[in-house]
Amino acid sequence: MEPIRLLEVDGTLRGDPPVDLDETRRLFTAMVTARAYDSKCNAMQVQGRLATYASFEGQEAAQIGSIAALRNDDWVVATYRDAAAMWFQGYLWANLLLGRMGDERGGAPPEDVNVLPPSITVGAHMIHAVGLGWAESLQGSDRIAMALFGDGATSEGDFHEAMNFAGVFSTPTVFLCQNNGFAISMPRQRQTAAEWLTNKAIGYGMPGVLVDGNDLFAMIGVTRDAVGRARAGDGPTFIEALTFRVGPHTTTDDAARYRSDDLVEEWRRRDPIDRVRLYLQRSGGWDEAWETELAESARGAIEEAVTAAESVDPFEPGAIFDRMYSTPTSAMDRQRAALRRDGGDD
Amino acid sequence: MTELNLAQAINSALDLALANDQRVVLLGEDIGVTGGVFRVTDGLYQRYGGDRVIDAPVAESGIVGAAFGMAIAGIRPIVEIQFLGFAYPAYDQIVSHVGRIRNRSNHRFSAPLVIRIPYGGGIGAAEHHSESSEAIFAHTPGIKVVVPSTPYDAKGMLLAAIADPDPVVFLEPIRLYRAVKQDVPDDEYLVPLGVATTVREGTDVSLFSYGSMVRESRRAAEALSGEGVSVEVIDLRSLAPLDEEAIVAAARRTGRAVVVTESPRTAGMASEVAAVVQERALYSLLAPVERVTGWDTVVPLKRTEHHHVPGLKRISAAVRRVMEA
């Protein structure tokens, strides 16, 4: 099976572009900004300013392109590797950073942003997207919900339950699987004997679409179709976006143990940002000064977010007892008093 | 007022919640056309339709996970799991997400859902149908765990659980579904969560229990009064949070405490109550705290189940021991 592709690796276009030149420039800027965030996080982790970080380098088109097809008030439920997607749907870089710094306030996006904090358990969150979209339908809203997950998550039992519920109840759900080749060290071939993950969609009575996940335009196109179906009440869609994580699983991982440099180089040649740059150059929508300036302002925006996140004062020690319930229970009150009496470890 | 059994009282609460709040939906296996395996949702599908009383595929994790998403987006789902022994596939959703989203998002998101689960033995059911693993849920942060033992409490506590802004696991004693009838108000009323109640006054011993063991404890108390022992029975009603003040006050009052549960003994609710008593009422005690519990075994099948689930004999023996200490 051939994945849907609109932009060739050399930037030539097959058919009509899904967005005009201005929008392409906006999305290119978003991808560059996301990569600046990614590279800043890797650097901060080395400096000890962030906890473990999971890079999304190489997956920018899959994330920015799919979110570009959503409406601002649609729900997004994503993983620890989906910061680009979450940000593009309205989550703040400063919140994402705060979360990685070990502060629960990072899990609270602005009030009008319908993005859940990143799911760290693999696979359990797809059914949440089913419930979110279902709730919108029950309340007469046409908001839809998109779940982002990786190839490894398709092996979890909850993937089956989420796909099955979405199919049975025809919920407005888009299942976006970023198949980046490896679940930590496990190659895709060890997750399923199916030739393509899209094969699974058949079993749940929904369309499955195979797409080049490093092609911004193809991602916009297939997600737009899926979102349109969901919003029209025609049910869920499963999208398998073929992509690659250029970095390790997280900053604690040594990817050289399970994959070759040649493979990484091969995928670097299919870089999603380079591809759009080549397209813009062919279309007269790019010049060097413009990219230099946008890269500079992207780095500036990330630095501002870092400053904002690092200037948030730590919680007072007893605040944990205020966060567990709407109003602290008697147990929370007693345990807060015990912590206050004895203090925590230094 | 209408005389109702515990199952009917729960049905009445669900009926009121569905009628009064359009956000309320029921989600579970066989709860629609059939009215649930225990007929607790009888008639509700016919009254409110399949969009409000939703028959789900056989997938407990999916049911709780979908309800969790629904709750975040403004629906008030009430889930029914058929038996506590079938709730374990959903435990990951409960411990990993339901009990955490408020903390994870610093109050930005919350999941006000109720998970109704029939529990407990004593009816000679098949394997997996008699579990009493409530301590697992009481041990899980971010949720409340409550157990009614009377029709009146069942209706008022369920309505309180539905109104609660946080997730509640609502355990229903299978053995009591149709055991007793009681006058229950027709209208809405709330029995606050987190509060124990004294169901029988007494001065010599405090018997602490909940759910189906309240009835066994009362039977023992009545029998022991013939021996001149005055036994107080406290229905804990809420396992998380535990009403420590009520436990401590009772233990200080009588100086003797016996805790009755049908769950496995190790790290169970009886151990927790005993710990609270020794922490805060040790110097009032006239005897060691006794635990009358199920054993650390699988619940035996029908032929020997009565050796596992506490009843009159074992509870009475424990009370006599603390009286003789």
Side-chain angles (χ1 to χ4, degrees), chain B residues 74-233:
Chain B
I75 291 290
R76 302 299 290 251
I78 305 170
V79 163
E80 175 178 305
I81 302 290
Q82 293 190 327
F83 291 88
L84 186 49
F86 301 157
Y88 306 128
Y91 183 65
D92 178 51
Q93 287 290 341
I94 296 170
V95 67
S96 300
H97 299 286
V98 173
R100 290 174 189 245
I101 189 65
R102 185 182 288 282
N103 173 68
R104 183 184 294 158
S105 68
N106 194 34
H107 292 283
R108 168 71 175 80
F109 300 108
S110 60
L113 74 153
V114 177
I115 305 172
R116 295 180 37 242
I117 317 177
Y119 90 100
I123 61 163
E127 193 186 353
H128 310 289
H129 292 66
S130 307
E131 306 281 294
S132 184
S133 48
E134 60 275 11
I136 295 172
F137 295 91
H139 195 73
T140 302
I143 60 173
K144 296 177 180 177
V145 184
V146 300
V147 196
S149 74
T150 65
Y152 180 89
D153 277 356
K155 180 170 177 180
M157 286 167 65
L158 182 53
L159 287 168
I162 295 164
D164 200 281
D166 288 302
V168 179
V169 169
F170 190 88
L171 296 169
E172 301 170 2
I174 293 171
R175 206 174 165 188
L176 299 186
Y177 267 144
R178 289 174 172 81
V180 285
K181 286 199 165 192
Q182 187 180 20
D183 273 340
V184 174
D186 297 323
D187 292 337
E188 181 162 329
Y189 63 93
L190 304 180
V191 172
L193 308 184
V195 184
T197 184
T198 305
V199 296
R200 187 183 191 280
E201 306 277 346
T203 52
D204 294 329
V205 183
S206 299
L207 263 181
F208 299 99
S209 63
Y210 51 88
S212 55
M213 289 299 104
V214 174
R215 192 174 63 149
E216 301 308 304
S217 298
R218 291 177 82 152
R219 281 175 62 205
E222 296 303 329
L224 288 157
S225 72
E227 298 174 22
V229 184
S230 171
V231 180
E232 167 186 66
V233 179

Side-chain angles (χ1 to χ4, degrees), chain A residues 154-334:
Chain A
T154 64
S155 298
E156 294 279 1
D158 275 355
F159 167 79
H160 160 71
E161 297 194 18
M163 294 278 282
N164 194 45
F165 271 62
V168 168
F169 295 104
S170 195
T171 61
T173 317
V174 177
F175 293 95
L176 174 59
C177 178
Q178 294 171 85
N179 174 1
N180 66 10
F182 290 86
I184 305 189
S185 67
M186 294 288 282
R188 212 293 278 146
Q189 290 72 17
R190 290 293 292 271
Q191 299 297 342
T192 175
E195 187 179 6
W196 299 103
L197 297 174
T198 49
N199 295 0
K200 293 170 184 275
I202 299 164
Y204 303 103
M206 72 175 81
V209 185
L210 185 67
V211 59
D212 181 343
N214 282 18
D215 175 345
L216 179 73
F217 284 174
M219 284 305 304
I220 296 169
V222 301
T223 314
R224 214 180 251 174
D225 290 347
V227 169
R229 264 194 299 280
R231 213 180 301 287
D234 295 334
T237 305
F238 176 83
I239 300 170
E240 177 180 4
L242 298 174
T243 183
F244 192 77
R245 98 172 119 73
V246 172
H249 166 67
T250 67
T251 42
T252 63
D253 177 38
D254 173 13
R257 286 177 175 236
Y258 53 83
R259 64 183 201 191
S260 69
D261 290 346
D262 287 350
L263 183 63
V264 178
E265 277 316 304
E266 188 188 321
W267 276 94
R268 278 192 191 280
R269 285 194 292 276
R270 296 183 228 169
D271 184 83
I273 296 180
D274 289 348
R275 200 182 299 195
V276 178
R277 184 186 297 107
L278 288 165
Y279 168 77
L280 286 171
Q281 287 168 347
R282 286 169 179 275
S283 320
W286 184 91
D287 64 68
E288 198 168 349
W290 174 70
E291 181 161 353
T292 307
E293 196 185 314
L294 79 85
E296 189 52 40
S297 80
R299 280 191 295 272
I302 301 304
E303 288 301 333
E304 268 178 44
V306 170
T307 305
E310 288 188 330
S311 61
V312 172
D313 290 330
F315 279 115
E316 59 93 9
I320 178 68
F321 302 109
D322 292 326
R323 292 195 301 266
M324 294 305 301
Y325 298 90
S326 169
T327 308
T329 61
S330 54
M332 295 294 98
D333 287 338
R334 283 191 299 272

Side-chain angles (χ1 to χ4, degrees), chain A residues 123-155:
Chain A
H125 66 293
M126 298 171 278
I127 187 73
H128 305 164
V130 173
L132 289 162
W134 195 351
E136 296 294 352
S137 305
L138 287 170
Q139 294 171 103
S141 145
D142 68 348
R143 278 184 200 147
I144 67 111
M146 184 162 82
L148 286 84
F149 52 94
D151 41 305
T154 64
S155 298

